[in-house]
Amino acid sequence: MKNGEGHTIYLLGIGGIGMSALARYYHSLGYTIAGYDRTPSPLTRQLENEGMAIHYEDNPALLPALIDFVIYTPAVPKDLQEWEALRQRNLLIMKRSEALGKISEQHFTLAIAGTHGKTTTTAMTAHILKTCGRNTTAFIGGIANNFDSNLLFGNGDDSILVVEADEFDRSFLRLKPDISVINSIDADHLDIYGDRQHLVKSFNEFAQLTEKQLIVKEGLEIEGEGILRFGFGDGNDYRAEILTSEGGVTDFVIIGEGNKTEIRLPMAGRHNVLNATAAFVAARQVGIAPTEIAEALATFKGVKRRFDIRVKNENHCYIDDYAHHPEEIRACLQAVRSAFPNKKLTLVFQPHLYSRTRDFMNEFAQILGAADELILLDIYPARENPIEGITSAALLEKVNLGDKKCCPKSELISLIDNEKPNLLVTMGAGDIDRFVEPLEKLITTW
């Protein structure tokens, strides 16, 4: 891999949350960055403003004349014309995970894994380290509000690398972690793994890559010696105990190492207490004092699209969340109920992937019925073709709820404006994020 100024990296799928962070990282090292994505987005506009050349047409004629190597995301369809043109050039082509793995080889690396919670935990850990004066580089799978970015720049190879370890396509097996956190293993990505047993096997393979310390949430089937366990149970090395939770703020204590540390977290939900506990344990492994960690967590501002409170006033509240798996939805709705117990909850959900909707149809139907009102958008296909019989209408029919409907995306804004819900939650991993700012602006006018 050639380094620095005068060399060009081309990124296929540059607008993805992980790919855009890599683009910004390499750009900071002096590379010329160019790339393709299907549609413009706030992320691609930011990259263009920073001097990167991006186009949105699958056209080999738009490829740079000189390219040193190519990074791609598995989410990019292999039938792209540009994909074939790049292969014919005999260029070095690597997955996003391979590039991230090479970066991790150059740093002391703290990797955060789990089917849920890894983005928030990664952002928390990076925020703690930076706030406490540690030289930190971080790749985050979302926009951390404290940094207003998915990338935190450290100072050279001496910085601690905090990285989100993605299980999709077994990407996390490319990393070289010194410290690892595993905070959940729920069945997901069954189009890749087939069943949960194979998913657990991959997480154990990831665990074996850890050089120094493995940190695992209670109850997970991870094998090995010297594992530090965390959770709510008495038998854990670090035990969390919730004291109060109200209005989006949670007070709790962490008991471990013979000490009790009081923490005020400006977030709701038991799942976020577990995320914070995981970040606490990780920060302790690099020598940060418990009181310093508590002070840092008190200033954590969350991650965009993770229990992201966009509007909160006397009459209306609007929360946006990335949840797209039944267990994530369950955790989010429980947090909403604990923070705002007396408000009618209107949920707008966009299912993500036909295969996930098929695999968890009954689970989705059960948990979506926990809302007071449900509005379903069409399934977001991402990388998939439609599956016969798998539709939002079919899912809606299974939901045991009186106040429910499907809604075309083109009619969502007017529907919400007519209903003016007291407590609105938008949820999903597709392009539902394009509605967040318009809804926020709308609600503030009511």
Side-chain angles (χ1 to χ4, degrees), residues 329 333 345-349 367-376 423-427:
I329 297 170
L333 293 183
L345 196 167
T346 296
L347 172 62
V348 180
F349 178 62
I367 192 57
L368 291 172
D372 296 309
E373 177 188 8
L374 175 64
I375 300 169
L376 277 186
L423 172 59
L424 175 66
V425 178
T426 51
M427 195 179 286

Coordinates of all heavy atoms in Angstrom, one line a residue, residues 329 333 345-349 367-376 423-427:
I329 N -35.3 -2.8 18.9 CA -36.6 -2.1 19.0 C -37.2 -2.3 20.4 O -37.6 -1.3 21.0 CB -37.6 -2.7 18.0 CG1 -37.2 -2.4 16.5 CG2 -39.0 -2.0 18.2 CD1 -38.0 -3.2 15.5
L333 N -37.9 0.9 22.8 CA -39.2 1.2 23.3 C -39.3 1.2 24.8 O -40.0 2.0 25.4 CB -40.2 0.3 22.7 CG -40.5 0.4 21.2 CD1 -41.5 -0.6 20.7 CD2 -40.8 1.8 20.8
L345 N -47.4 6.9 22.5 CA -46.3 6.7 21.7 C -46.7 6.3 20.2 O -47.3 5.3 20.0 CB -45.5 5.5 22.3 CG -44.0 5.3 21.8 CD1 -43.3 4.4 22.8 CD2 -43.9 4.8 20.4
T346 N -46.3 7.2 19.3 CA -46.5 6.9 17.9 C -45.2 6.5 17.3 O -44.2 7.3 17.3 CB -47.1 8.2 17.2 OG1 -48.3 8.5 17.7 CG2 -47.2 8.0 15.7
L347 N -45.2 5.3 16.7 CA -43.9 4.8 16.2 C -44.0 4.7 14.6 O -44.9 4.1 14.1 CB -43.7 3.4 16.7 CG -42.5 2.6 16.1 CD1 -41.2 3.3 16.3 CD2 -42.5 1.1 16.7
V348 N -43.0 5.3 14.0 CA -42.9 5.1 12.5 C -41.7 4.2 12.3 O -40.6 4.5 12.7 CB -42.6 6.5 11.8 CG1 -42.4 6.3 10.3 CG2 -43.7 7.5 12.1
F349 N -41.9 3.0 11.7 CA -40.9 2.1 11.5 C -40.7 1.7 10.1 O -41.7 1.5 9.4 CB -41.2 0.8 12.3 CG -40.1 -0.3 12.2 CD1 -38.8 -0.1 12.6 CD2 -40.5 -1.5 11.6 CE1 -37.9 -1.1 12.4 CE2 -39.5 -2.5 11.5 CZ -38.2 -2.3 11.9
I367 N -43.2 -7.2 19.0 CA -42.6 -6.0 19.6 C -43.2 -4.7 19.1 O -43.4 -3.7 19.8 CB -41.1 -6.0 19.6 CG1 -40.5 -4.9 20.5 CG2 -40.6 -5.8 18.2 CD1 -40.9 -5.1 22.0
L368 N -43.5 -4.6 17.8 CA -44.1 -3.4 17.3 C -45.5 -3.1 17.9 O -45.9 -2.0 17.9 CB -44.2 -3.5 15.7 CG -42.9 -3.5 15.0 CD1 -43.1 -3.8 13.5 CD2 -42.2 -2.1 15.2
G369 N -46.1 -4.2 18.4 CA -47.4 -4.0 19.0 C -47.3 -3.3 20.3 O -48.4 -3.0 21.0
A370 N -46.1 -3.1 20.8 CA -45.9 -2.3 22.1 C -46.1 -0.8 22.0 O -46.2 -0.1 23.0 CB -44.6 -2.6 22.7
A371 N -46.2 -0.3 20.7 CA -46.5 1.1 20.5 C -48.0 1.3 20.7 O -48.8 0.4 20.8 CB -46.1 1.5 19.1
D372 N -48.4 2.6 20.9 CA -49.8 2.9 20.9 C -50.3 3.1 19.5 O -51.5 2.8 19.3 CB -50.0 4.2 21.7 CG -49.6 4.1 23.2 OD1 -50.0 3.1 23.8 OD2 -48.8 4.9 23.7
E373 N -49.5 3.6 18.6 CA -49.9 3.8 17.2 C -48.7 3.4 16.4 O -47.5 3.8 16.7 CB -50.3 5.2 16.9 CG -50.6 5.5 15.4 CD -50.8 6.9 15.1 OE1 -50.5 7.8 15.9 OE2 -51.2 7.2 13.9
L374 N -48.9 2.6 15.3 CA -47.8 2.1 14.5 C -48.0 2.6 13.0 O -49.1 2.4 12.5 CB -47.7 0.6 14.5 CG -46.7 0.0 13.6 CD1 -45.3 0.4 13.9 CD2 -46.9 -1.6 13.6
I375 N -47.0 3.2 12.5 CA -47.0 3.6 11.0 C -45.8 2.9 10.4 O -44.7 3.1 10.8 CB -46.9 5.1 10.9 CG1 -48.0 5.8 11.6 CG2 -46.8 5.5 9.4 CD1 -47.8 7.3 11.7
L376 N -46.1 2.0 9.4 CA -45.1 1.2 8.7 C -44.8 1.8 7.4 O -45.7 2.0 6.6 CB -45.5 -0.2 8.6 CG -45.3 -1.2 9.7 CD1 -45.7 -2.6 9.3 CD2 -43.9 -1.2 10.3
L423 N -45.9 12.1 21.3 CA -44.6 11.5 21.4 C -44.3 10.7 20.1 O -45.0 9.6 19.9 CB -44.5 10.5 22.6 CG -43.2 9.7 22.8 CD1 -42.0 10.5 22.9 CD2 -43.3 8.8 24.0
L424 N -43.4 11.1 19.3 CA -43.1 10.5 18.0 C -41.7 9.8 18.1 O -40.8 10.4 18.5 CB -43.1 11.5 16.9 CG -42.7 11.0 15.5 CD1 -43.8 10.0 15.0 CD2 -42.6 12.2 14.5
V425 N -41.7 8.6 17.6 CA -40.4 7.9 17.4 C -40.3 7.4 16.0 O -41.2 6.7 15.5 CB -40.3 6.7 18.4 CG1 -39.0 5.9 18.2 CG2 -40.4 7.1 19.9
T426 N -39.2 7.8 15.3 CA -38.9 7.2 14.0 C -37.8 6.2 14.2 O -36.9 6.4 15.0 CB -38.5 8.3 13.0 OG1 -37.5 9.1 13.5 CG2 -39.7 9.1 12.6
M427 N -37.9 5.1 13.4 CA -36.9 4.0 13.7 C -36.7 3.2 12.4 O -37.6 2.9 11.6 CB -37.6 3.0 14.7 CG -36.7 2.0 15.4 SD -37.7 1.1 16.6 CE -37.9 2.3 18.0

